[in-house]
Amino acid sequence: GAPMGVPVEILPLAEKSVEQSTELVGTVKSRSSVTVQAQVEGFLKKINVKSGERVAAGKILFEIDDSSQLAVVAGLESTRAAREADASYARQQAERVRKLLQAGASSQQELDQAEALQRSTAAQLKAIEEQIRQQKNEWQYSRVTGPAAGVIADVPVREGDRITRQTQLTTIDDNSTLELYLNVPVQEAPKVKPGQPVHVLNEAGEVVATEHVSFISASADDQTQTVLVKTP
């Protein structure tokens, strides 16, 4: 006999949008990032934080060897003691010559000389006290504190390293506002338009957030042949 027919299901045709997508590896960056640098030079004595740690503003992040600064302060304080003794003696001498002048046993010239010495020793004492104040302020900078609250990024330095004022110790990121950076190949770049949706996937391929293109670079990177695209 004739072969049996195979039943088929008939469905009505209808137009439907099909999403075209490209998977890219992106980088999430903070909109607010603060670079941490020291205000003094020296050897890094202690690191009190690690990458990924959340810190509050004012926390001591790094400690720089302060032995040389403490030695300078100690030497200046010893000098101040000598200047205080000189100033005290000059003040007593001026007062004694002033009384002798009132009694007619001294001259105005001797009083002028005694008062000049008093002013000179007082000025020297004031100068040494100012040096001590400056050195103590400098000593405070040996403890590098966090200028803002946030999350510690990479810490490229190690204990024992010699650092300068130009050494970048770390950065502190405020992760409350983030941006997604995408490097789109130049052949795919013409397809990217402002406002297009961007789905952020986790390691399991699940959509964890959906953003929209907010910035497209006008030029491509010569080395990577990619175009920078950002989302808010």
Side-chain angles (χ1 to χ4, degrees):
M4 298 292 296
V6 178
V8 295
E9 183 179 2
I10 300 175
L11 298 176
L13 298 179
E15 292 184 356
K16 184 179 180 181
S17 298
V18 177
E19 185 180 66
Q20 294 182 348
S21 63
T22 301
E23 289 192 4
L24 300 169
V25 177
T27 303
V28 178
K29 296 183 180 181
S30 171
R31 286 186 179 180
S32 176
S33 181
V34 181
T35 301
V36 179
Q37 294 174 287
Q39 298 189 49
V40 294
E41 299 183 1
F43 290 98
L44 192 58
K45 181 172 64 175
K46 190 175 182 182
I47 300 176
N48 299 319
V49 292
K50 58 184 179 181
S51 299
E53 180 179 349
R54 180 172 293 278
V55 297
K59 175 181 172 61
I60 298 177
L61 309 179
F62 304 90
E63 297 180 33
I64 302 170
D65 183 22
D66 56 1
S67 56
S68 60
Q69 292 169 320
L70 292 176
V72 171
V73 172
L76 290 173
E77 288 179 341
S78 299
T79 304
R80 179 175 61 181
R83 295 292 180 266
E84 286 176 342
D86 294 341
S88 176
Y89 176 77
R91 186 170 55 253
Q92 295 172 2
Q93 284 294 100
E95 183 63 25
R96 184 180 68 83
V97 174
R98 192 175 296 110
K99 291 179 180 179
L100 290 175
L101 179 62
Q102 293 174 355
S106 183
S107 64
Q108 182 64 42
Q109 181 180 4
E110 290 176 326
L111 178 59
D112 293 343
Q113 292 174 347
E115 289 178 342
L117 180 61
Q118 181 183 1
R119 290 191 296 270
S120 175
T121 54
Q124 292 175 3
L125 176 59
K126 184 178 180 180
I128 201 70
E129 288 177 341
E130 178 63 20
Q131 291 181 38
I132 292 174
R133 185 189 67 81
Q134 292 178 356
Q135 286 296 325
K136 285 186 175 181
N137 287 339
E138 192 83 359
W139 172 80
Q140 292 177 352
Y141 294 141
S142 63
R143 285 163 172 76
V144 182
T145 58
V151 178
I152 298 294
D154 181 40
V155 182
V157 293
R158 297 292 179 266
E159 293 181 0
D161 289 352
R162 179 169 180 80
I163 61 174
T164 67
R165 290 177 174 86
Q166 288 74 41
T167 304
Q168 179 175 324
L169 303 178
T170 187
T171 56
I172 299 178
D173 298 328
D174 180 6
N175 290 339
S176 60
T177 54
L178 301 173
E179 289 182 324
L180 176 62
Y181 286 64
L182 298 170
N183 292 317
V184 180
V186 290
Q187 61 269 25
E188 298 288 339
K191 302 177 183 179
V192 182
K193 307 296 180 184
Q196 277 185 328
V198 176
H199 303 304
V200 182
L201 310 179
N202 59 15
E203 294 179 353
E206 302 169 337
V207 177
V208 295
T210 299
E211 299 293 343
H212 294 82
V213 175
S214 61
F215 170 81
I216 303 173
S217 177
S219 59
D221 188 296
D222 292 336
Q223 296 182 350
T224 62
Q225 289 297 299
T226 58
V227 175
L228 175 62
V229 174
K230 292 196 300 183
T231 68

